Amino acid sequence: LETRHRWQKETNSNEAAWQFARACFDWADFSRDDEQRAAIAEEGIAAGRAAIRLAPKSAAGHYYLGLNLGQLAQTKMLGALRLIDQMEAAWLKTLELDPKFDYAGGHRALTLLYRDAPGWPTSVGNRSKARGHLLKAIELAPNYPGNRICWAESLLEWREVSAVRTQLEPWR
Protein backbone atom coordinates (compact mmCIF):
# COMPACT_ATOMS: atom_id res chain seq x y z
CA LEU A 1 0.00 0.00 0.00
CA GLU A 2 2.90 2.34 0.74
CA THR A 3 4.49 1.75 -2.66
CA ARG A 4 1.13 2.22 -4.40
CA HIS A 5 0.58 5.49 -2.58
CA ARG A 6 4.08 6.68 -3.47
CA TRP A 7 3.60 5.77 -7.14
CA GLN A 8 0.24 7.56 -7.25
CA LYS A 9 1.87 10.62 -5.70
CA GLU A 10 5.08 10.50 -7.79
CA THR A 11 3.67 9.62 -11.23
CA ASN A 12 6.84 10.78 -13.00
CA SER A 13 9.16 8.66 -10.87
CA ASN A 14 10.64 5.59 -12.52
CA GLU A 15 11.78 4.33 -9.12
CA ALA A 16 8.31 4.70 -7.57
CA ALA A 17 6.84 2.79 -10.53
CA TRP A 18 9.24 -0.16 -10.42
CA GLN A 19 9.11 -0.33 -6.62
CA PHE A 20 5.33 -0.67 -6.88
CA ALA A 21 5.73 -3.30 -9.61
CA ARG A 22 8.07 -5.21 -7.28
CA ALA A 23 5.56 -4.97 -4.43
CA CYS A 24 2.78 -6.25 -6.72
CA PHE A 25 4.88 -9.26 -7.72
CA ASP A 26 5.49 -10.14 -4.06
CA TRP A 27 1.90 -9.36 -3.06
CA ALA A 28 0.47 -11.63 -5.77
CA ASP A 29 2.18 -14.61 -4.14
CA PHE A 30 -0.18 -14.16 -1.17
CA SER A 31 -3.37 -13.86 -3.23
CA ARG A 32 -6.42 -15.87 -2.23
CA ASP A 33 -7.31 -17.02 -5.74
CA ASP A 34 -6.60 -16.55 -9.44
CA GLU A 35 -8.94 -13.57 -9.71
CA GLN A 36 -7.10 -11.65 -7.01
CA ARG A 37 -3.67 -12.71 -8.36
CA ALA A 38 -4.63 -11.50 -11.84
CA ALA A 39 -5.86 -8.13 -10.51
CA ILE A 40 -2.64 -7.58 -8.56
CA ALA A 41 -0.52 -8.70 -11.52
CA GLU A 42 -2.35 -6.26 -13.82
CA GLU A 43 -1.45 -3.42 -11.46
CA GLY A 44 2.16 -4.60 -11.46
CA ILE A 45 2.20 -4.83 -15.24
CA ALA A 46 0.90 -1.27 -15.53
CA ALA A 47 3.55 -0.06 -13.08
CA GLY A 48 6.30 -1.95 -14.91
CA ARG A 49 5.24 -0.46 -18.22
CA ALA A 50 5.14 3.00 -16.64
CA ALA A 51 8.67 2.52 -15.30
CA ILE A 52 9.86 1.59 -18.79
CA ARG A 53 8.03 4.51 -20.35
CA LEU A 54 9.68 6.88 -17.86
CA ALA A 55 13.13 5.28 -18.16
CA PRO A 56 13.49 2.89 -21.13
CA LYS A 57 16.88 1.74 -19.81
CA SER A 58 15.47 0.73 -16.43
CA ALA A 59 16.54 -2.87 -15.85
CA ALA A 60 14.21 -2.93 -12.84
CA GLY A 61 11.21 -1.85 -14.91
CA HIS A 62 11.76 -4.60 -17.48
CA TYR A 63 12.51 -7.22 -14.82
CA TYR A 64 9.40 -6.57 -12.73
CA LEU A 65 7.24 -6.25 -15.82
CA GLY A 66 8.32 -9.79 -16.73
CA LEU A 67 7.71 -11.11 -13.22
CA ASN A 68 4.21 -9.63 -13.10
CA LEU A 69 3.44 -11.06 -16.54
CA GLY A 70 4.47 -14.38 -15.02
CA GLN A 71 2.06 -13.88 -12.13
CA LEU A 72 -0.72 -13.18 -14.63
CA ALA A 73 0.28 -16.25 -16.68
CA GLN A 74 -0.23 -18.41 -13.59
CA THR A 75 -3.92 -17.49 -13.68
CA LYS A 76 -4.39 -18.57 -17.28
CA MET A 77 -4.45 -21.91 -19.02
CA LEU A 78 -3.85 -21.64 -22.76
CA GLY A 79 -3.93 -17.84 -22.48
CA ALA A 80 -0.58 -18.03 -20.67
CA LEU A 81 1.17 -18.95 -23.91
CA ARG A 82 0.55 -15.48 -25.36
CA LEU A 83 2.34 -13.92 -22.37
CA ILE A 84 5.49 -16.03 -22.68
CA ASP A 85 7.04 -14.01 -25.51
CA GLN A 86 6.48 -10.80 -23.53
CA MET A 87 8.07 -12.31 -20.43
CA GLU A 88 11.06 -13.53 -22.41
CA ALA A 89 11.53 -10.14 -24.08
CA ALA A 90 11.36 -8.31 -20.74
CA TRP A 91 14.02 -10.51 -19.15
CA LEU A 92 16.29 -10.46 -22.18
CA LYS A 93 16.12 -6.67 -22.05
CA THR A 94 16.94 -6.81 -18.33
CA LEU A 95 20.07 -8.80 -19.15
CA GLU A 96 21.04 -6.33 -21.85
CA LEU A 97 20.73 -3.42 -19.41
CA ASP A 98 22.09 -4.96 -16.20
CA PRO A 99 22.81 -8.70 -16.07
CA LYS A 100 23.57 -8.52 -12.33
CA PHE A 101 20.27 -6.86 -11.36
CA ASP A 102 18.58 -8.71 -8.45
CA TYR A 103 21.48 -11.17 -8.14
CA ALA A 104 21.27 -12.11 -11.83
CA GLY A 105 17.47 -12.29 -11.57
CA GLY A 106 16.99 -12.01 -15.34
CA HIS A 107 19.03 -15.17 -15.83
CA ARG A 108 17.18 -16.91 -13.00
CA ALA A 109 13.78 -15.92 -14.43
CA LEU A 110 14.75 -17.10 -17.92
CA THR A 111 15.93 -20.37 -16.41
CA LEU A 112 12.49 -21.00 -14.97
CA LEU A 113 10.76 -19.88 -18.16
CA TYR A 114 12.85 -22.14 -20.40
CA ARG A 115 12.69 -25.00 -17.89
CA ASP A 116 8.93 -24.92 -17.28
CA ALA A 117 7.41 -23.71 -20.57
CA PRO A 118 6.37 -26.26 -23.17
CA GLY A 119 9.02 -26.89 -25.81
CA TRP A 120 9.02 -26.21 -29.51
CA PRO A 121 6.77 -25.90 -31.51
CA THR A 122 4.29 -24.94 -28.78
CA SER A 123 6.49 -22.54 -26.84
CA VAL A 124 10.02 -21.54 -25.79
CA GLY A 125 10.83 -24.39 -23.39
CA ASN A 126 14.44 -25.47 -23.85
CA ARG A 127 16.58 -27.35 -21.32
CA SER A 128 19.84 -26.21 -22.88
CA LYS A 129 18.87 -22.53 -22.65
CA ALA A 130 17.61 -23.05 -19.10
CA ARG A 131 20.91 -24.62 -18.05
CA GLY A 132 22.94 -21.87 -19.73
CA HIS A 133 21.05 -19.08 -17.98
CA LEU A 134 21.24 -20.80 -14.63
CA LEU A 135 24.98 -21.31 -14.92
CA LYS A 136 25.32 -17.62 -15.78
CA ALA A 137 23.23 -16.64 -12.74
CA ILE A 138 25.48 -18.73 -10.51
CA GLU A 139 28.57 -17.21 -12.13
CA LEU A 140 27.32 -13.63 -11.61
CA ALA A 141 25.94 -14.15 -8.08
CA PRO A 142 27.49 -17.37 -6.73
CA ASN A 143 26.57 -16.74 -3.10
CA TYR A 144 22.93 -15.82 -3.67
CA PRO A 145 20.92 -18.73 -2.21
CA GLY A 146 18.07 -18.30 -4.72
CA ASN A 147 20.40 -19.18 -7.58
CA ARG A 148 21.64 -22.33 -5.84
CA ILE A 149 18.10 -23.38 -4.89
CA CYS A 150 16.97 -22.86 -8.49
CA TRP A 151 19.92 -24.95 -9.66
CA ALA A 152 19.08 -27.79 -7.27
CA GLU A 153 15.38 -27.70 -8.20
CA SER A 154 16.26 -27.74 -11.90
CA LEU A 155 18.61 -30.68 -11.50
CA LEU A 156 15.90 -32.58 -9.64
CA GLU A 157 13.39 -31.67 -12.36
CA TRP A 158 15.83 -33.08 -14.92
CA ARG A 159 16.40 -36.17 -12.73
CA GLU A 160 20.11 -35.40 -12.22
CA VAL A 161 20.11 -36.41 -8.55
CA SER A 162 23.86 -37.09 -8.26
CA ALA A 163 24.59 -33.59 -9.58
CA VAL A 164 22.35 -32.14 -6.85
CA ARG A 165 24.50 -33.77 -4.20
CA THR A 166 27.64 -32.33 -5.83
CA GLN A 167 26.14 -28.83 -5.90
CA LEU A 168 24.95 -28.94 -2.30
CA GLU A 169 28.18 -30.34 -0.82
CA PRO A 170 29.94 -26.93 -0.51
CA TRP A 171 26.91 -25.60 1.44
CA ARG A 172 27.18 -28.17 4.23
Short mmCIF file of all heavy atoms in Angstrom, two decimals, residues 127-163:
data_model
loop_
_atom_site.label_atom_id
_atom_site.label_comp_id
_atom_site.label_asym_id
_atom_site.label_seq_id
_atom_site.Cartn_x
_atom_site.Cartn_y
_atom_site.Cartn_z
N ARG A 127 15.72 -26.99 -22.44
CA ARG A 127 16.58 -27.35 -21.32
C ARG A 127 17.98 -26.76 -21.46
O ARG A 127 18.57 -26.31 -20.48
CB ARG A 127 16.68 -28.87 -21.18
CG ARG A 127 17.51 -29.27 -19.97
CD ARG A 127 17.69 -30.75 -19.86
NE ARG A 127 16.43 -31.42 -19.60
CZ ARG A 127 16.32 -32.67 -19.20
NH1 ARG A 127 17.40 -33.39 -19.02
NH2 ARG A 127 15.14 -33.21 -18.99
N SER A 128 18.50 -26.74 -22.66
CA SER A 128 19.84 -26.21 -22.88
C SER A 128 19.90 -24.72 -22.54
O SER A 128 20.84 -24.25 -21.88
CB SER A 128 20.25 -26.44 -24.33
OG SER A 128 21.50 -25.88 -24.59
N LYS A 129 18.91 -23.95 -22.98
CA LYS A 129 18.87 -22.53 -22.65
C LYS A 129 18.69 -22.34 -21.15
O LYS A 129 19.31 -21.45 -20.55
CB LYS A 129 17.72 -21.84 -23.39
CG LYS A 129 17.98 -21.56 -24.84
CD LYS A 129 16.81 -20.78 -25.42
CE LYS A 129 17.03 -20.39 -26.86
NZ LYS A 129 15.90 -19.59 -27.38
N ALA A 130 17.83 -23.15 -20.54
CA ALA A 130 17.61 -23.05 -19.10
C ALA A 130 18.92 -23.27 -18.35
O ALA A 130 19.29 -22.49 -17.47
CB ALA A 130 16.56 -24.06 -18.64
N ARG A 131 19.64 -24.30 -18.71
CA ARG A 131 20.91 -24.62 -18.05
C ARG A 131 21.92 -23.48 -18.25
O ARG A 131 22.61 -23.08 -17.31
CB ARG A 131 21.46 -25.94 -18.59
CG ARG A 131 22.71 -26.41 -17.87
CD ARG A 131 23.23 -27.72 -18.46
NE ARG A 131 22.26 -28.79 -18.37
CZ ARG A 131 22.12 -29.60 -17.32
NH1 ARG A 131 22.89 -29.45 -16.28
NH2 ARG A 131 21.23 -30.56 -17.33
N GLY A 132 22.00 -22.95 -19.45
CA GLY A 132 22.94 -21.87 -19.73
C GLY A 132 22.67 -20.63 -18.89
O GLY A 132 23.59 -20.02 -18.35
N HIS A 133 21.39 -20.26 -18.77
CA HIS A 133 21.05 -19.08 -17.98
C HIS A 133 21.29 -19.32 -16.49
O HIS A 133 21.73 -18.43 -15.77
CB HIS A 133 19.60 -18.63 -18.24
CG HIS A 133 19.47 -17.87 -19.51
ND1 HIS A 133 19.90 -16.56 -19.64
CD2 HIS A 133 18.99 -18.22 -20.73
CE1 HIS A 133 19.68 -16.14 -20.86
NE2 HIS A 133 19.13 -17.13 -21.55
N LEU A 134 21.03 -20.53 -16.04
CA LEU A 134 21.24 -20.80 -14.63
C LEU A 134 22.73 -20.80 -14.28
O LEU A 134 23.13 -20.25 -13.25
CB LEU A 134 20.59 -22.13 -14.24
CG LEU A 134 20.52 -22.41 -12.75
CD1 LEU A 134 20.04 -21.20 -11.96
CD2 LEU A 134 19.61 -23.58 -12.49
N LEU A 135 23.54 -21.35 -15.16
CA LEU A 135 24.98 -21.31 -14.92
C LEU A 135 25.49 -19.88 -14.90
O LEU A 135 26.36 -19.52 -14.10
CB LEU A 135 25.72 -22.14 -15.98
CG LEU A 135 25.51 -23.65 -15.88
CD1 LEU A 135 26.14 -24.35 -17.08
CD2 LEU A 135 26.07 -24.19 -14.57
N LYS A 136 24.93 -19.04 -15.75
CA LYS A 136 25.32 -17.62 -15.78
C LYS A 136 24.87 -16.92 -14.50
O LYS A 136 25.63 -16.11 -13.94
CB LYS A 136 24.73 -16.93 -17.02
CG LYS A 136 25.31 -15.59 -17.29
CD LYS A 136 26.78 -15.70 -17.66
CE LYS A 136 27.34 -14.33 -18.02
NZ LYS A 136 28.77 -14.36 -18.25
N ALA A 137 23.70 -17.24 -14.00
CA ALA A 137 23.23 -16.64 -12.74
C ALA A 137 24.17 -17.01 -11.60
O ALA A 137 24.54 -16.16 -10.79
CB ALA A 137 21.80 -17.11 -12.43
N ILE A 138 24.58 -18.27 -11.56
CA ILE A 138 25.48 -18.73 -10.51
C ILE A 138 26.85 -18.07 -10.67
O ILE A 138 27.48 -17.68 -9.68
CB ILE A 138 25.58 -20.27 -10.51
CG1 ILE A 138 24.25 -20.86 -10.04
CG2 ILE A 138 26.73 -20.74 -9.64
CD1 ILE A 138 24.12 -22.35 -10.23
N GLU A 139 27.29 -17.89 -11.88
CA GLU A 139 28.57 -17.21 -12.13
C GLU A 139 28.53 -15.75 -11.65
O GLU A 139 29.46 -15.26 -11.03
CB GLU A 139 28.90 -17.26 -13.62
CG GLU A 139 30.16 -16.50 -14.02
CD GLU A 139 30.33 -16.41 -15.52
OE1 GLU A 139 29.99 -17.38 -16.23
OE2 GLU A 139 30.79 -15.35 -15.99
N LEU A 140 27.44 -15.05 -11.95
CA LEU A 140 27.32 -13.63 -11.61
C LEU A 140 27.03 -13.39 -10.13
O LEU A 140 27.43 -12.36 -9.58
CB LEU A 140 26.24 -12.97 -12.47
CG LEU A 140 26.54 -12.86 -13.95
CD1 LEU A 140 25.33 -12.35 -14.71
CD2 LEU A 140 27.75 -11.96 -14.19
N ALA A 141 26.31 -14.31 -9.50
CA ALA A 141 25.94 -14.15 -8.08
C ALA A 141 26.05 -15.52 -7.39
O ALA A 141 25.05 -16.12 -7.02
CB ALA A 141 24.55 -13.56 -7.95
N PRO A 142 27.29 -16.00 -7.23
CA PRO A 142 27.49 -17.37 -6.73
C PRO A 142 27.00 -17.60 -5.31
O PRO A 142 26.67 -18.73 -4.95
CB PRO A 142 29.00 -17.57 -6.84
CG PRO A 142 29.58 -16.20 -6.83
CD PRO A 142 28.55 -15.31 -7.48
N ASN A 143 26.96 -16.56 -4.50
CA ASN A 143 26.57 -16.74 -3.10
C ASN A 143 25.10 -16.43 -2.82
O ASN A 143 24.67 -16.49 -1.68
CB ASN A 143 27.46 -15.88 -2.19
CG ASN A 143 28.90 -16.34 -2.25
OD1 ASN A 143 29.17 -17.54 -2.29
ND2 ASN A 143 29.82 -15.41 -2.30
N TYR A 144 24.36 -16.10 -3.86
CA TYR A 144 22.93 -15.82 -3.67
C TYR A 144 22.19 -17.14 -3.56
O TYR A 144 22.17 -17.95 -4.51
CB TYR A 144 22.37 -14.97 -4.81
CG TYR A 144 20.92 -14.64 -4.62
CD1 TYR A 144 20.52 -13.84 -3.56
CD2 TYR A 144 19.95 -15.14 -5.47
CE1 TYR A 144 19.19 -13.54 -3.36
CE2 TYR A 144 18.61 -14.84 -5.29
CZ TYR A 144 18.24 -14.04 -4.23
OH TYR A 144 16.91 -13.76 -4.03
N PRO A 145 21.58 -17.42 -2.41
CA PRO A 145 20.92 -18.73 -2.21
C PRO A 145 19.85 -19.05 -3.25
O PRO A 145 19.68 -20.21 -3.62
CB PRO A 145 20.32 -18.61 -0.81
CG PRO A 145 21.09 -17.53 -0.15
CD PRO A 145 21.50 -16.58 -1.23
N GLY A 146 19.12 -18.04 -3.74
CA GLY A 146 18.07 -18.30 -4.72
C GLY A 146 18.60 -18.94 -5.99
O GLY A 146 17.92 -19.78 -6.60
N ASN A 147 19.81 -18.57 -6.39
CA ASN A 147 20.40 -19.18 -7.58
C ASN A 147 20.75 -20.64 -7.34
O ASN A 147 20.53 -21.49 -8.20
CB ASN A 147 21.64 -18.40 -8.03
CG ASN A 147 21.29 -17.04 -8.58
OD1 ASN A 147 20.17 -16.78 -8.99
ND2 ASN A 147 22.25 -16.14 -8.58
N ARG A 148 21.29 -20.94 -6.18
CA ARG A 148 21.64 -22.33 -5.84
C ARG A 148 20.38 -23.19 -5.67
O ARG A 148 20.35 -24.34 -6.09
CB ARG A 148 22.49 -22.38 -4.57
CG ARG A 148 23.84 -21.75 -4.72
CD ARG A 148 24.71 -22.56 -5.65
NE ARG A 148 26.00 -21.92 -5.80
CZ ARG A 148 27.05 -22.49 -6.33
NH1 ARG A 148 26.96 -23.72 -6.78
NH2 ARG A 148 28.17 -21.85 -6.45
N ILE A 149 19.36 -22.63 -5.06
CA ILE A 149 18.10 -23.38 -4.89
C ILE A 149 17.49 -23.67 -6.26
O ILE A 149 17.04 -24.78 -6.53
CB ILE A 149 17.13 -22.60 -3.98
CG1 ILE A 149 17.66 -22.59 -2.55
CG2 ILE A 149 15.72 -23.19 -4.06
CD1 ILE A 149 16.95 -21.61 -1.63
N CYS A 150 17.50 -22.67 -7.14
CA CYS A 150 16.97 -22.86 -8.49
C CYS A 150 17.76 -23.94 -9.22
O CYS A 150 17.18 -24.76 -9.94
CB CYS A 150 17.02 -21.53 -9.24
SG CYS A 150 16.19 -21.54 -10.83
N TRP A 151 19.07 -23.93 -9.04
CA TRP A 151 19.92 -24.95 -9.66
C TRP A 151 19.55 -26.35 -9.16
O TRP A 151 19.34 -27.26 -9.95
CB TRP A 151 21.39 -24.63 -9.37
CG TRP A 151 22.39 -25.58 -9.93
CD1 TRP A 151 23.27 -26.34 -9.23
CD2 TRP A 151 22.66 -25.89 -11.31
NE1 TRP A 151 24.05 -27.09 -10.08
CE2 TRP A 151 23.70 -26.83 -11.36
CE3 TRP A 151 22.09 -25.46 -12.51
CZ2 TRP A 151 24.19 -27.34 -12.55
CZ3 TRP A 151 22.59 -25.97 -13.69
CH2 TRP A 151 23.62 -26.89 -13.71
N ALA A 152 19.43 -26.49 -7.83
CA ALA A 152 19.08 -27.79 -7.27
C ALA A 152 17.70 -28.26 -7.74
O ALA A 152 17.52 -29.41 -8.13
CB ALA A 152 19.13 -27.73 -5.74
N GLU A 153 16.73 -27.34 -7.74
CA GLU A 153 15.38 -27.70 -8.20
C GLU A 153 15.40 -28.11 -9.67
O GLU A 153 14.70 -29.05 -10.06
CB GLU A 153 14.42 -26.53 -8.00
CG GLU A 153 14.08 -26.25 -6.57
CD GLU A 153 13.26 -24.98 -6.38
OE1 GLU A 153 13.15 -24.16 -7.32
OE2 GLU A 153 12.73 -24.81 -5.27
N SER A 154 16.19 -27.41 -10.47
CA SER A 154 16.26 -27.74 -11.90
C SER A 154 16.89 -29.10 -12.11
O SER A 154 16.41 -29.91 -12.91
CB SER A 154 17.05 -26.66 -12.65
OG SER A 154 16.36 -25.44 -12.60
N LEU A 155 17.97 -29.36 -11.38
CA LEU A 155 18.61 -30.68 -11.50
C LEU A 155 17.65 -31.80 -11.09
O LEU A 155 17.62 -32.85 -11.73
CB LEU A 155 19.89 -30.72 -10.66
CG LEU A 155 21.04 -29.85 -11.17
CD1 LEU A 155 22.18 -29.84 -10.16
CD2 LEU A 155 21.53 -30.33 -12.53
N LEU A 156 16.89 -31.57 -10.04
CA LEU A 156 15.90 -32.58 -9.64
C LEU A 156 14.82 -32.75 -10.71
O LEU A 156 14.41 -33.87 -11.01
CB LEU A 156 15.27 -32.20 -8.30
CG LEU A 156 16.18 -32.32 -7.09
CD1 LEU A 156 15.53 -31.73 -5.85
CD2 LEU A 156 16.57 -33.78 -6.85
N GLU A 157 14.38 -31.63 -11.28
CA GLU A 157 13.39 -31.67 -12.36
C GLU A 157 13.90 -32.50 -13.53
O GLU A 157 13.15 -33.22 -14.18
CB GLU A 157 13.07 -30.23 -12.80
CG GLU A 157 12.11 -30.12 -13.96
CD GLU A 157 10.66 -30.26 -13.54
OE1 GLU A 157 10.34 -30.09 -12.35
OE2 GLU A 157 9.85 -30.55 -14.43
N TRP A 158 15.21 -32.37 -13.80
CA TRP A 158 15.83 -33.08 -14.92
C TRP A 158 16.34 -34.46 -14.51
O TRP A 158 17.02 -35.13 -15.28
CB TRP A 158 16.98 -32.24 -15.50
CG TRP A 158 16.54 -30.91 -16.03
CD1 TRP A 158 15.36 -30.62 -16.65
CD2 TRP A 158 17.28 -29.69 -15.97
NE1 TRP A 158 15.31 -29.28 -16.99
CE2 TRP A 158 16.48 -28.68 -16.59
CE3 TRP A 158 18.53 -29.33 -15.48
CZ2 TRP A 158 16.90 -27.36 -16.71
CZ3 TRP A 158 18.94 -28.01 -15.60
CH2 TRP A 158 18.14 -27.04 -16.21
N ARG A 159 16.03 -34.86 -13.27
CA ARG A 159 16.40 -36.17 -12.73
C ARG A 159 17.93 -36.39 -12.69
O ARG A 159 18.41 -37.47 -12.97
CB ARG A 159 15.69 -37.28 -13.50
CG ARG A 159 14.19 -37.26 -13.31
CD ARG A 159 13.51 -38.35 -14.09
NE ARG A 159 12.13 -38.58 -13.85
CZ ARG A 159 11.13 -37.71 -13.81
NH1 ARG A 159 11.36 -36.45 -13.93
NH2 ARG A 159 9.89 -38.07 -13.64
N GLU A 160 18.65 -35.33 -12.35
CA GLU A 160 20.11 -35.40 -12.22
C GLU A 160 20.46 -35.35 -10.73
O GLU A 160 21.12 -34.43 -10.24
CB GLU A 160 20.76 -34.25 -12.99
CG GLU A 160 20.49 -34.32 -14.48
CD GLU A 160 21.10 -33.16 -15.24
OE1 GLU A 160 22.08 -32.55 -14.76
OE2 GLU A 160 20.59 -32.86 -16.34
N VAL A 161 20.02 -36.38 -10.00
CA VAL A 161 20.11 -36.41 -8.55
C VAL A 161 21.56 -36.37 -8.07
O VAL A 161 21.88 -35.66 -7.11
CB VAL A 161 19.38 -37.65 -7.98
CG1 VAL A 161 19.51 -37.73 -6.48
CG2 VAL A 161 17.91 -37.60 -8.39
N SER A 162 22.46 -37.10 -8.72
CA SER A 162 23.86 -37.09 -8.26
C SER A 162 24.48 -35.70 -8.39
O SER A 162 25.30 -35.29 -7.57
CB SER A 162 24.69 -38.13 -9.01
OG SER A 162 24.71 -37.83 -10.39
N ALA A 163 24.09 -34.96 -9.40
CA ALA A 163 24.59 -33.59 -9.58
C ALA A 163 24.08 -32.67 -8.47
O ALA A 163 24.78 -31.74 -8.06
CB ALA A 163 24.20 -33.05 -10.95
#
